Amino acid sequence: MDDYKFLFKVVLVGNAGVGKTCLVRRFTQGLFPPGQGATIGVDFMIKTVEVGNEKVKLQIWDTAGQERFRSITQSYYRSAHALILVYDISSQPTFDCLPDWLREIEEYASNKVLRILVGNKIDREDREIPADVGEEFAERHNMYYLETSAKESDNVEKLFMQIAEDLMKQARTRDLPRYDSNNQTLDGKTSTISDSSCCSRLQ
Amino acid sequence: MHGRLKVRTTEEQKAIKLKEQQKKLDAYKHAMERVLSTRKKDSYDPKSLQISSGILQANPDVYTIWNYRKEVILMKVKESNDDELEGEEKLIDFLEDEIKLTEQCLPSNPKSYGTWHHRYWVLLHHPKPNWNNEFSLCTKYLSKDDRNFHCWDYRRLLVNKIGITLDHELRFSTERLNNNFSNYSSWHYRSTLRKLDSDCVNHELELVKSAVFTDPIDSSAWFYLRWVLSNPTIKKDTKLELLEAFEQLEELEPDCKWVILGKCWLLEQGDLKTRLETYKKLVVLDPLRKGMYMDFIRQAQKEI
Amino acid sequence: MDYEFPKEFDLIVVGTGVVESILSAAASRVGKRVLQIDENDYYGGQWASFSLESIIKSKHHKKDYGGNESETNLLRFGNDLVSLKNIAHKFHMTSNNTLEEETDKIENEEQPKENKWTEENLLKLSRKFNIDLYPKLQYARGDFVELLISSNIARYCEYRSVSRILIWFNNRLESLPCSRSDVFANTKVSVVEKRMLMKLLTSLNDKEKHVQNYENKTFKEFLTDKKLTPNLIHYVLYGISSSSDDTSCEDGIEKARRFLNSLGRFGNTPFLFSLYGSGEIPQAFCRLSAVFGGTFALGQQIQGFSISDDKFKSVTLQSQTVEAEKLVLNIENLPARFIKSDKLEYISRCILITDRSVLDSEKEHLSLIFYPPTDGKSFTTVIEMGFLTGTCPNNLYLVHLIAKQNTSPQEDFQHVIDKLFASHVEETSQEKPSILWSYYFSMPETNDIILSDDLPNNIFVCPGPEIDLDYDTSVDKAKLLFEKMYPDLEFLPRAPDPEEIIIGDDNEEEESTDINEEDHDKVINVEQEDKENVISAEQEDKVNVISAEQEDKVDQQ
């Protein structure tokens, strides 16, 4: 299907087991896979969505397990348009690690990347991090905040659609005539916005 | 299962593709029917218009649908003429959307007559057409494929609409040729830019000489050479120099008919005997065109 | 965070350089359980890219974690033989007190006025640099690019074409005419020379032709006999075939063919360069390995490894011992006792930050420059890269020099630097670029190191970068080692596209959550059936994809 106008690279980071892959699978395939094995063979997943009248492809990358021992490659972050930092609301350690993740993001990712903090697993009873704590952390670090449940499909669609919309907005305000957008990524006929002005919080 | 990797077989892939194709075909047929059934003289169905844009994006070569849209546009133009206050603005918005549509259709088939023509037609009806934009579009598509003659034609149309300098176009043409000189369109375009006079004819000669020496088998450059040589302002000395150079080239490429043909062009008013010998060589080298060369020989012999 | 590794793997890989990462990816791909570790906290080892600050700080030699070897019974990784030598770096301007104004400008990421570069403001832009220890180019039709495409790793990286090739001739830099358009546009050769050159290039490219009667002669003699003018001989000998006067005819032709064969696939020159630096390449292979189950851990305090009964047994990390059937390691990590060669050849290296291109032009180029051998100095290759390669900030250039070492890096490159660069910032030579920072070092040639006979046969040693411009030798080495390790298994079959993957559930029963060999076999079998049909379609796409990419990156301002 070659009729999309934009392709955006979205990467997810966060501790092992917080539900990154489940979020992606839920969004791209509508599935929630039980079991706790690490992901094998999933490199990135693509989903085309419609924003306004335009077709937009989201290329959503998985860490491939390299986060387990803090060994995500720098190239993972390259040319990313949006970055989703995920923690598990029922696991304090995954929240405590956020500053470490932010340091890594600061070092490897472009400072113009759209950043979203996601507290996942809100379907669970044993919440350890209150929503306002998460929200406050996000605000302090200039990130959008959202709580989700990949299992119950809560807010997952909203998360990615919001990202798509925000990225589209940025792409449009670059004010280039469409056929002059020369910056393209691997899939051709697309536009990257890595040089766009700093994004503030999503509305 | 979380993490189990399985890959679809070719059979499965084929089946899926077939299903998709069938779906597309049904949708297309349905869409065409809908649009054509609502085609009227002085009113149009907005839903049909929307559907028609989908058809064109899938298949930009359906002339009928472009024409359908032209009919709608003419209706819109009439409407805007009747509406004093906001008519022009509304028309411009509508036409801008139309232009966007052609943009969306180009990537799938950059060589569609329908698309290019429609775009130009729309701009002709546009109260404030942005011809410079069009120019950039043209340049972009030519960079992608400089043999896209639709684009070259479009460019010619545009050059007449805006004040592009000769210099600019010459530079553009030189750039295209530097990129790839095996291209009739590029050379042809260059020949339409200006009439050659004694100042520039030598420069053109040097340029095309470079091409024919770099690759004597490429015919497009030879055609341009012939055109340049037909220019009355070329001095006899220049022709002799070129002839000498061709002798050297012939040594390196004895089997290339173009070199020998090139010599013929230079010998046109010259030594008859040499000409006849050269034509005879051509008959051997290029038997496909034997008839033409025999003709030349007969004509030359008449001169004796 | 997990700190415990599984106790056992099929393969442990120590080091994250290119060759071992290719092996790691290949092993994971066919279902082996792989653990890849590195004591550095970055990927790449001697193949890595660095920010400005980190290359200055990096010590580039083995860290020492282990206790006394005899006490622990462990063999320590590493040796001094194969580390970088003669490291020297320098900022070439005085460190003035920058005006507040200038500092503010840096913070807003504007560039200072000309000649106002200082140590401070360069370091502020440290993160915008990706400085390769060893920059590599990729032949457009070489084994490496084919491997990237066929294994689908290509999509992890972005590329840029080398946009021009220059050669030092007649005391100046000239454009090397190598493609048909170059020859056409070249103003320095006569039209007849153009024909002769094209004829030669076409015939050299013709694989069918064999050259007779030149078995014991040099390529230079061959070219002279072809009646080429001295101009053309210079271009073909030193440029197109990167040879020297005594290169054999056979080698010269082979090298010229390689060059010509890759022309035009992605651009006017035969070469691609990985955006953001060559350090992206080992990361790409590591990622593929991870996607297929490989476990990765950087920054490991590796105590050593153990051998028993002449076989490698296990690796001991800070708190854990992990066993495996096989060990792959970078030669940097091999204990000295297993290295037989005592004399090493070296590669001289120099990295410069400069303020303009060696040959100014309308657009920014990624330039490959050949500096032929002269006065006892080796053939020098120079790569100049700018902002569009993602390796340095705007308005600056990164220049890499590479040559076979004669005496020392400084001496080996002095003549080239004198010719191409203005050496002091004060020298306001309008044309020559000024050097703002330089970094010299020697890198050992490790491709042909002889290993001792008592190296256990389940230990496999990978070389570091060798002097060739491209990766093809490294790929060959990886394939050779893989063949030894897993003789009946396929080397990096094409990885499936995301759309092709049915992640188990649709109609399947849930079984164990662990990937086992059986499943991988199923996958492999299915794939091998489809391989043929699928690869050809894919390769077309991938080729188009990269080349569209290329054009656009070139157009990018």
Side-chain angles (χ1 to χ4, degrees):
Chain A
M1 237 216 324
D2 267 345
D3 49 354
Y4 60 91
K5 271 259 149 341
F6 292 95
L7 181 135
F8 296 121
K9 176 177 176 182
V10 181
V11 299
L12 280 84
V13 295
N15 283 20
V18 298
K20 303 185 287 300
T21 308
C22 289
L23 283 169
V24 179
R25 300 279 316 279
R26 173 57 84 187
F27 177 61
T28 56
Q29 294 178 315
L31 304 166
F32 180 77
Q36 277 146 14
T39 325
I40 296 202
V42 179
D43 202 353
F44 56 81
M45 304 221 88
I46 299 194
K47 180 145 178 155
T48 310
V49 297
E50 229 173 86
V51 175
N53 264 333
E54 311 271 19
K55 286 209 167 74
V56 169
K57 248 189 191 176
L58 291 178
Q59 189 189 59
I60 308 168
W61 290 71
D62 190 276
T63 54
Q66 286 180 314
E67 77 279 18
R68 255 176 95 204
F69 301 102
R70 266 298 158 63
S71 303
I72 295 186
T73 60
Q74 183 170 9
S75 59
Y76 182 69
Y77 292 90
R78 297 257 187 239
S79 306
H81 298 109
L83 192 150
I84 306 175
L85 175 54
V86 187
Y87 69 95
D88 176 351
I89 56 129
S90 70
S91 164
Q92 188 68 38
T94 68
F95 185 81
D96 294 336
C97 281
L98 290 181
D100 294 329
W101 282 113
L102 284 176
R103 258 195 297 280
E104 176 159 312
I105 293 169
E106 169 73 28
E107 193 172 336
Y108 289 162
S110 156
N111 56 5
K112 294 161 184 161
V113 144
L114 176 67
R115 298 178 314 168
I116 308 99
L117 181 67
V118 166
N120 191 34
K121 306 202 188 179
I122 56 178
D123 51 285
R124 292 175 70 111
E125 305 274 308
D126 51 345
R127 180 189 271 269
E128 284 184 18
I129 298 120
D132 58 314
V133 171
E135 172 119 39
E136 191 255 351
F137 185 94
E139 193 167 329
R140 228 187 314 137
H141 295 278
N142 230 2
M143 306 171 79
Y144 186 58
Y145 183 67
L146 201 54
E147 291 206 329
T148 60
S149 164
K151 189 167 190 193
E152 303 298 330
S153 207
D154 240 325
N155 265 348
V156 176
E157 180 98 7
K158 179 169 179 196
L159 167 66
F160 288 100
M161 286 310 296
Q162 193 73 65
I163 290 174
E165 281 166 23
D166 208 71
L167 291 175
M168 274 299 285
K169 222 191 293 172
Q170 289 184 47
R172 283 209 187 92
T173 60
R174 283 188 81 199
D175 223 43
L176 292 175
R178 213 84 55 81
Y179 46 74
D180 259 5
S181 34
N182 287 319
N183 303 335
Q184 295 194 2
T185 62
L186 277 176
D187 274 336
K189 284 182 298 200
T190 59
S191 172
T192 70
I193 50 160
S194 19
D195 304 321
S196 62
S197 56
C198 187
C199 58
S200 51
R201 290 184 51 190
L202 295 175
Q203 292 317 307
Chain B
M1 188 224 83
H2 207 57
R4 207 158 60 177
L5 171 64
K6 185 179 164 199
V7 175
R8 291 186 212 265
T9 62
T10 324
E11 285 309 307
E12 285 174 344
Q13 283 176 323
K14 271 198 200 141
I16 294 175
K17 270 215 162 95
L18 207 64
K19 249 199 209 163
E20 278 181 22
Q21 271 182 333
Q22 196 58 39
K23 260 202 229 164
K24 279 191 185 167
L25 188 61
D26 289 335
Y28 180 84
K29 279 192 186 150
H30 187 84
M32 283 293 282
E33 264 176 49
R34 168 70 195 263
V35 171
L36 294 176
S37 67
T38 62
R39 196 176 185 180
K40 291 205 189 75
K41 265 218 176 124
D42 44 11
S43 70
Y44 71 95
D45 172 22
K47 182 77 196 216
S48 289
L49 189 67
Q50 196 191 21
I51 294 176
S52 74
S53 76
I55 297 177
L56 288 168
Q57 287 184 64
N59 178 9
D61 292 315
V62 188
Y63 266 91
T64 313
I65 302 295
W66 285 120
N67 286 342
Y68 163 76
R69 290 188 80 94
K70 289 188 179 68
E71 287 163 8
V72 173
I73 292 174
L74 287 174
M75 286 181 225
K76 283 282 179 185
V77 171
K78 189 157 175 291
E79 252 180 55
S80 89
N81 289 335
D82 295 335
D83 179 350
E84 289 217 355
L85 284 174
E86 292 185 329
E88 192 178 282
E89 212 184 295
K90 283 197 187 142
L91 180 64
I92 289 182
D93 282 340
F94 187 78
L95 291 180
E96 284 297 319
D97 278 342
E98 200 65 15
I99 293 176
K100 266 194 208 134
L101 175 63
T102 60
E103 230 174 273
Q104 284 162 352
C105 293
L106 276 176
S108 60
N109 180 10
K111 292 191 181 178
S112 163
Y113 281 100
T115 316
W116 287 103
H117 180 260
H118 192 76
R119 197 181 172 93
Y120 187 67
W121 187 91
V122 168
L123 285 162
L124 287 177
H125 287 80
H126 197 298
K128 297 191 180 141
N130 184 344
W131 295 112
N132 283 306
N133 244 11
E134 296 310 297
F135 215 70
S136 314
L137 178 74
C138 220
T139 308
K140 181 187 190 206
Y141 273 91
L142 278 177
S143 320
K144 285 201 177 146
D145 176 7
D146 59 7
R147 290 177 179 194
N148 186 345
F149 63 88
H150 296 266
C151 229
W152 284 107
D153 287 345
Y154 199 71
R155 197 184 181 86
R156 263 194 284 280
L157 290 172
L158 294 178
V159 162
N160 289 327
K161 286 281 175 197
I162 24 177
I164 296 281
T165 62
L166 176 64
D167 240 4
H168 182 274
E169 282 311 274
L170 273 175
R171 254 183 297 132
F172 178 75
S173 163
T174 311
E175 197 191 290
R176 289 283 103 225
L177 288 170
N178 276 338
N179 193 284
N180 176 13
F181 61 78
S182 289
N183 187 342
Y184 281 102
S185 301
S186 293
W187 289 110
H188 178 69
Y189 186 71
R190 199 180 177 84
S191 71
T192 64
L193 288 177
R194 61 185 168 169
K195 208 162 167 184
L196 299 180
D197 58 21
S198 50
D199 290 329
C200 55
V201 75
N202 284 314
H203 177 258
E204 292 305 303
L205 195 58
E206 285 309 306
L207 184 69
V208 74
K209 213 166 119 183
S210 194
V212 299
F213 274 79
T214 304
D215 190 358
I217 308 181
D218 183 66
S219 48
S220 53
W222 288 103
F223 279 100
Y224 190 73
L225 175 68
R226 185 160 77 173
W227 178 75
V228 171
L229 287 177
S230 68
N231 191 294
T233 65
I234 294 200
K235 302 208 181 76
K236 206 166 178 202
D237 289 342
T238 321
K239 285 195 179 171
L240 281 172
E241 259 177 51
L242 188 56
L243 190 57
E244 270 173 42
F246 279 163
E247 304 279 352
Q248 281 183 296
L249 186 56
E250 191 181 347
E251 265 175 59
L252 290 169
E253 304 293 340
D255 294 332
C256 179
K257 73 133 200 243
W258 287 107
V259 184
I260 308 198
L261 194 54
K263 280 168 64 180
C264 285
W265 299 333
L266 290 165
L267 289 168
E268 229 146 78
Q269 282 106 34
D271 177 6
L272 189 62
K273 190 160 166 257
T274 325
R275 273 160 65 204
L276 282 173
E277 276 171 22
T278 322
Y279 287 138
K280 288 188 182 133
K281 261 195 221 168
L282 281 171
V283 172
V284 174
L285 270 183
D286 188 15
L288 203 59
R289 291 172 189 81
K290 181 170 162 187
M292 179 168 88
Y293 303 131
M294 294 304 292
D295 221 36
F296 290 159
I297 292 176
R298 272 191 290 272
Q299 277 192 342
Q301 283 172 335
K302 279 201 194 136
E303 292 174 32
I304 299 177
Chain C
M1 280 302 245
D2 259 347
Y3 290 104
E4 269 258 325
F5 295 105
K7 301 217 174 7
E8 199 206 330
F9 285 87
D10 294 320
L11 173 67
I12 297 180
V13 179
V14 179
T16 48
V18 168
V19 185
E20 57 270 29
S21 301
I22 296 179
L23 280 174
S24 166
S28 289
R29 185 72 185 84
V30 292
K32 301 298 174 194
R33 293 161 304 153
V34 177
L35 170 67
Q36 189 165 5
I37 55 181
D38 199 316
E39 59 168 12
N40 297 319
D41 58 4
Y42 54 86
Y43 282 92
Q46 286 184 350
W47 308 75
S49 307
F50 295 88
S51 68
L52 181 58
E53 217 177 293
S54 48
I55 199 173
I56 292 175
K57 288 203 182 124
S58 183
K59 297 280 181 253
H60 300 300
H61 60 234
K62 288 282 129 237
K63 299 170 192 161
D64 205 349
Y65 299 117
N68 197 321
E69 248 187 21
S70 55
E71 276 175 17
T72 58
N73 247 350
L74 286 177
L75 289 161
R76 271 218 286 274
F77 283 108
N79 59 75
D80 278 326
L81 199 59
V82 178
S83 50
L84 304 184
K85 308 255 189 290
N86 304 326
I87 302 175
H89 67 87
K90 189 166 97 167
F91 282 94
H92 287 236
M93 63 307 236
T94 50
S95 169
N96 350 0
N97 299 322
T98 39
L99 302 165
E100 277 246 324
E101 192 191 304
E102 294 298 329
T103 325
D104 285 337
K105 273 205 192 137
I106 298 303
E107 263 146 20
N108 295 333
E109 297 200 353
E110 290 170 42
Q111 308 302 329
K113 297 198 198 81
E114 287 239 18
N115 293 330
K116 288 268 202 287
W117 286 105
T118 65
E119 189 173 325
E120 283 87 2
N121 56 32
L122 267 189
L123 282 171
K124 275 223 164 64
L125 296 172
S126 167
R127 276 191 55 209
K128 299 222 166 198
F129 286 97
N130 280 302
I131 303 175
D132 292 339
L133 270 189
Y134 204 101
K136 289 278 186 186
L137 300 179
Q138 303 165 33
Y139 276 105
R141 286 205 179 87
D143 289 341
F144 187 67
V145 167
E146 292 305 331
L147 179 64
L148 291 179
I149 295 177
S150 70
S151 65
N152 239 353
I153 294 179
R155 64 186 172 200
Y156 294 153
C157 299
E158 296 172 80
Y159 306 89
R160 205 170 168 79
S161 244
V162 167
S163 55
R164 72 179 171 188
I165 304 183
L166 305 173
I167 185 166
W168 186 256
F169 187 44
N170 282 340
N171 217 27
R172 59 171 188 268
L173 280 177
E174 288 192 2
S175 206
L176 179 73
C178 42
S179 69
R180 206 179 67 145
S181 4
D182 291 339
V183 175
F184 171 64
N186 190 296
T187 51
K188 302 256 166 52
V189 295
S190 72
V191 279
V192 176
E193 279 181 310
K194 289 189 188 196
R195 188 62 219 137
M196 292 173 82
L197 183 58
M198 283 307 299
K199 245 188 120 127
L200 177 72
L201 297 183
T202 319
S203 85
L204 281 177
N205 210 12
D206 189 354
K207 287 204 171 76
E208 299 304 316
K209 266 200 178 154
H210 291 289
V211 172
Q212 281 146 341
N213 304 326
Y214 280 91
E215 283 82 28
N216 297 322
K217 299 216 176 146
T218 65
F219 192 42
K220 188 169 188 179
E221 285 176 286
F222 172 77
L223 295 173
T224 318
D225 289 349
K226 286 258 169 195
K227 305 245 185 345
L228 291 180
T229 56
N231 280 9
L232 298 186
I233 295 182
H234 190 96
Y235 289 141
V236 177
L237 182 63
Y238 301 126
I240 294 176
S241 86
S242 312
S243 298
S244 33
D245 289 5
D246 49 5
T247 305
S248 76
C249 185
E250 199 183 326
D251 283 349
I253 292 186
E254 183 51 45
K255 286 164 119 188
R257 273 200 189 132
R258 254 181 113 194
F259 184 99
L260 297 168
N261 190 37
S262 284
L263 281 177
R265 186 180 197 186
F266 300 123
N268 231 14
T269 73
F271 300 105
L272 289 178
F273 179 73
S274 162
L275 216 62
Y276 308 114
S278 309
E280 299 290 288
I281 298 295
Q283 291 180 52
F285 283 99
C286 288
R287 181 169 169 94
L288 188 71
S289 180
V291 166
F292 280 91
T295 303
F296 281 81
L298 298 175
Q300 293 298 305
Q301 294 176 14
I302 310 174
Q303 312 289 330
F305 66 105
S306 72
I307 295 183
S308 99
D309 291 330
D310 272 341
K311 274 195 174 289
F312 157 75
K313 197 92 196 325
S314 66
V315 170
T316 302
L317 305 166
Q318 189 179 21
S319 50
Q320 225 192 315
T321 298
V322 184
E323 292 190 351
E325 258 178 46
K326 299 185 178 30
L327 175 71
V328 162
L329 41 62
N330 185 297
I331 193 156
E332 271 192 292
N333 294 316
L334 188 65
R337 61 175 260 202
F338 292 117
I339 300 179
K340 220 170 174 182
S341 313
D342 53 352
K343 270 240 123 212
L344 287 182
E345 303 261 323
Y346 283 87
I347 302 169
S348 280
R349 283 279 290 124
C350 172
I351 308 174
L352 306 171
I353 297 177
T354 63
D355 61 356
R356 61 195 298 164
S357 172
V358 285
L359 192 66
D360 274 329
S361 163
E362 257 175 40
K363 61 172 190 164
E364 183 191 300
H365 279 283
L366 170 54
S367 314
L368 172 61
I369 303 164
F370 292 127
Y371 202 103
T374 167
D375 295 329
K377 305 279 188 178
S378 313
F379 189 102
T380 304
T381 306
V382 183
I383 305 175
E384 181 188 77
M385 46 188 88
F387 170 67
L388 294 175
T389 56
T391 57
C392 65
N394 207 352
N395 296 324
L396 287 178
Y397 283 86
L398 210 53
V399 182
H400 289 272
L401 293 92
I402 307 156
K404 205 160 161 55
Q405 184 161 306
N406 262 336
T407 46
S408 78
Q410 277 90 340
E411 279 180 37
D412 287 341
F413 294 126
Q414 195 57 55
H415 66 298
V416 179
I417 290 184
D418 286 342
K419 292 286 185 189
L420 296 181
F421 303 99
S423 44
H424 301 290
V425 179
E426 291 80 15
E427 222 183 272
T428 48
S429 174
Q430 282 292 52
E431 288 160 16
K432 288 188 182 174
S434 303
I435 300 177
L436 302 174
W437 173 86
S438 65
Y439 190 86
Y440 289 88
F441 61 98
S442 306
M443 183 175 258
E445 280 234 61
T446 52
N447 212 33
D448 297 315
I449 286 190
I450 306 173
L451 304 174
S452 84
D453 299 322
D454 63 346
L455 179 71
N457 64 6
N458 63 346
I459 296 185
F460 303 89
V461 181
C462 299
E466 26 72 63
I467 198 164
D468 289 355
L469 208 49
D470 65 283
Y471 291 106
D472 290 355
T473 319
S474 306
V475 173
D476 287 342
K477 194 63 193 248
K479 283 184 178 159
L480 218 80
L481 287 169
F482 186 80
E483 171 78 4
K484 276 204 200 136
M485 290 163 67
Y486 304 113
D488 299 317
L489 296 180
E490 195 180 346
F491 181 76
L492 279 178
R494 191 190 139 266
D497 267 343
E499 289 93 51
E500 293 172 321
I501 301 177
I502 310 169
I503 311 275
D505 6 338
D506 302 70
N507 291 312
E508 305 274 328
E509 277 180 275
E510 308 292 330
E511 288 184 67
S512 71
T513 52
D514 291 313
I515 294 293
N516 52 39
E517 203 108 75
E518 222 190 334
D519 290 343
H520 270 282
D521 285 335
K522 279 198 211 141
V523 167
I524 293 169
N525 292 334
V526 164
E527 269 193 76
Q528 279 174 339
E529 280 175 65
D530 304 336
K531 207 168 50 129
E532 252 172 279
N533 299 329
V534 157
I535 282 189
S536 41
E538 269 310 307
Q539 279 176 334
E540 292 261 48
D541 292 345
K542 285 294 174 276
V543 167
N544 293 333
V545 154
I546 295 181
S547 66
E549 227 274 320
Q550 276 317 108
E551 284 182 43
D552 295 322
K553 284 275 183 279
V554 167
D555 290 337
Q556 180 186 331
Q557 40 76 9

